[in-house]
Amino acid sequence: MKHTAAPLGVGIVGLSADGGWGGRGHLPALRAVEGYELRALTASTPDSARKAAAAFGLPESAAGTDAAALAARDDVDLVVIAVRVPHHRELILPVLRAGKTVLSEWPLGNGTAEAEELAAYAAEAGVRTAAGLQARSAPVVRYLRDLVADGFVGEVLSTTLVGSGGGWGPVVAERTAYVADRANGATLLTVPFGHTLDALTMVLSGFATLTATTATRRPRVRIAETGAELPMTAEDQIAVTGRLESGAVASLHYRGGSSRGTNLLWEINGTEGDLVLTGDSGHLQFGQVELRGARGDQRDLRPLPVPGEYLLPDGLDDLAALEGPAGVVAHAYHQLRADLRDGTSVVPDFAHAAAHHRLLDRITRAAETGTAQ
C-alpha cells in the first residue's frame, strides 16, 4: 500500500560520512521506507558537516553543527538524535522546545533522571516522541509475541535468556572505548541487555519481582588500534532471575565479549510447547536471529519462518534489501510513519523509555543491595 501524503522531512543530529550509527543504521532505513526524505543534518564540526552533506546528497546550507537551528527549519518535521548518550539531553531539549517530533536513540538519557526529565518535558509540551528500542519492531520478535499470545506454548512456565554483548570484552575499538566507562551510560546493561530486555517484556510481561548479580570481571581492557590499556568500570556480567507478572520464572545472563559457544539463546517453555530464538550476537535489536519451535507431539524443534504479514508492505525485509541492523530500524520507521499518520502509538515513546530506564535501575539496586526488587 503506497502512501499518498507528502514525505516527512527528516533532520539527523549526528550524521557523519566517517561511520557511526546515523549513517549505518538510520539513513539506510529511512531511504528504504516510503514516507521520509532527508532534508538536513548536523555533525560535530563544520568540516565534518560539509563532508556529510556532500556524501549524502544535501546542499551545504542543509548541514551544520547546531541541533536547535536544524529543528527550527521549516522543511524538517522529524528530528533524529543519533549521537553518544552523554549528549542526548542537551540536543533533545532544543528540539522539544521547537515542537518538532523527535526520535532519540536508546538509551534515552544518561541515567533515569535525564530520561524522566525529557519524558516529562515532552508530555507537558505535547510533543510527539519516539525511542530507538527497535528490537520490538523486528518482524521475528513481533511474530514471537503473537505465537505466545495465540497459545503456541500453552501457559508460559519459564523463560531463559543467555547473551553476549560483543563489546565489553578484553579488546575495544578506539572509536567505542567510551562504553567502558559506566558514567557514559552506554553499557552492557543499557545497550545489548537493555534492548533485548525490552523485547522480552513485550513478548511475555514485566517483572513482578527480581534479584540480580552484576560484576566487572575485566577491570582493564586493551584498545585494539594502539594496544594501550584503559580501566573498565561498566559491568561485564549481568545475571537476573525473577518472576514475571504472568507468573513465569525468568533467568537472564549477559556476558561481555563473545563466546565460542552461545552468543544468543532465548527459550520460552510452556505447558504445550517450546519456542527457541538463537543468533550470533546478543544485540537482538540487530535482528539476525532464527526462530524455531515445537508443540504437542512434536519432538524436534522446527524452523518457524516469519510470515510475510510481518514484513514491510512491499516485501522488503532486513535480509533481502537491507544488510545488517538497518533492516530492523527500517521496520521501526515504517511503524512510526503509520503512528504519525493514523494517530496510533505502536513505537515506544519517551514515557516508555523512562519506564524502561526504571526497570534497569531495579536491576542495579538488586545487585547493589542483594535484595529482591
Side-chain angles (χ1 to χ4, degrees):
M1 180 179 180
K2 299 291 186 182
H3 295 304
T4 57
L8 293 175
V10 180
I12 301 181
V13 177
L15 182 58
S16 169
D18 300 323
W21 184 236
R24 290 189 303 111
H26 286 279
L27 189 57
L30 284 164
R31 287 175 167 172
V33 179
E34 191 176 8
Y36 297 98
E37 185 176 282
L38 181 67
R39 302 268 177 80
L41 64 88
T42 72
S44 56
T45 67
D47 184 54
S48 59
R50 284 191 294 270
K51 288 180 180 178
F56 301 126
L58 291 178
E60 281 194 20
S61 60
T65 60
D66 186 348
L70 180 147
R73 292 176 61 102
D74 291 336
D75 61 347
V76 169
D77 307 297
L78 168 67
V79 178
V80 176
I81 306 297
V83 298
R84 293 180 178 183
V85 180
H87 303 298
H88 280 191
R89 178 185 178 276
E90 66 187 86
L91 296 174
I92 292 171
L93 281 174
V95 180
L96 294 175
R97 293 187 187 111
K100 295 294 177 72
T101 299
V102 56
L103 185 157
S104 172
E105 258 308 327
W106 170 263
L108 174 57
N110 191 358
T112 302
E114 287 190 5
E116 291 181 333
E117 177 192 6
L118 293 168
Y121 193 105
E124 184 177 350
V127 177
R128 190 64 184 259
T129 61
L133 286 162
Q134 66 265 18
R136 62 174 45 227
S137 298
V140 68
V141 174
R142 292 185 283 119
Y143 181 41
L144 178 62
R145 173 199 58 194
D146 291 346
L147 286 170
V148 172
D150 292 342
F152 184 95
V153 301
E155 181 183 359
V156 177
L157 301 173
S158 66
T159 188
T160 304
L161 176 66
V162 177
S164 300
W168 302 277
V171 180
V172 297
E174 195 165 20
R175 184 186 183 94
T176 58
Y178 76 102
V179 305
D181 186 351
R182 186 184 185 194
N184 286 324
T187 64
L188 178 69
L189 178 71
T190 61
V191 181
F193 182 85
H195 275 289
T196 305
L197 180 64
D198 184 60
L200 184 147
T201 58
M202 181 189 84
V203 170
L204 299 175
S205 71
F207 278 82
T209 183
L210 61 85
T211 60
T213 301
T214 63
T216 304
R217 297 288 292 141
R218 293 186 177 98
R220 298 195 67 80
V221 295
R222 179 169 54 85
I223 297 178
E225 293 85 349
T226 65
E229 286 194 345
L230 78 160
M232 182 160 72
T233 57
E235 297 89 341
D236 57 13
Q237 299 289 328
I238 301 162
V240 179
T241 60
R243 187 180 295 275
L244 301 181
E245 293 166 356
S246 66
V249 172
S251 174
L252 297 74
H253 182 196
Y254 257 61
R255 305 81 55 92
S258 296
S259 169
R260 296 174 181 85
T262 301
N263 286 303
L264 182 64
L265 170 65
W266 180 10
E267 288 198 23
I268 300 173
N269 310 113
T271 55
E272 303 296 329
D274 303 284
L275 288 163
V276 178
L277 186 148
T278 55
D280 294 331
S281 166
H283 291 258
L284 180 57
Q285 74 276 15
F286 291 170
Q288 278 86 59
V289 293
E290 178 187 10
L291 178 62
R292 295 175 294 155
R295 67 190 312 271
D297 295 333
Q298 298 171 346
R299 296 183 59 85
D300 299 322
L301 294 171
R302 304 177 183 183
L304 295 172
V306 178
E309 65 201 72
Y310 292 89
L311 306 178
L312 295 182
D314 57 1
L316 177 67
D317 65 29
D318 49 313
L319 297 177
L322 288 171
E323 295 183 0
V328 175
V329 181
H331 284 87
Y333 273 118
H334 174 68
Q335 291 178 325
L336 177 61
R337 188 69 180 90
D339 279 347
L340 295 174
R341 184 184 65 242
D342 303 334
T344 51
S345 300
V346 175
V347 173
D349 60 8
F350 281 11
H352 176 94
H356 195 51
H357 272 280
R358 291 192 289 271
L359 174 56
L360 295 178
D361 276 357
R362 288 174 63 192
I363 292 171
T364 298
R365 284 197 304 272
E368 289 176 347
T369 64
T371 59
Q373 299 292 312

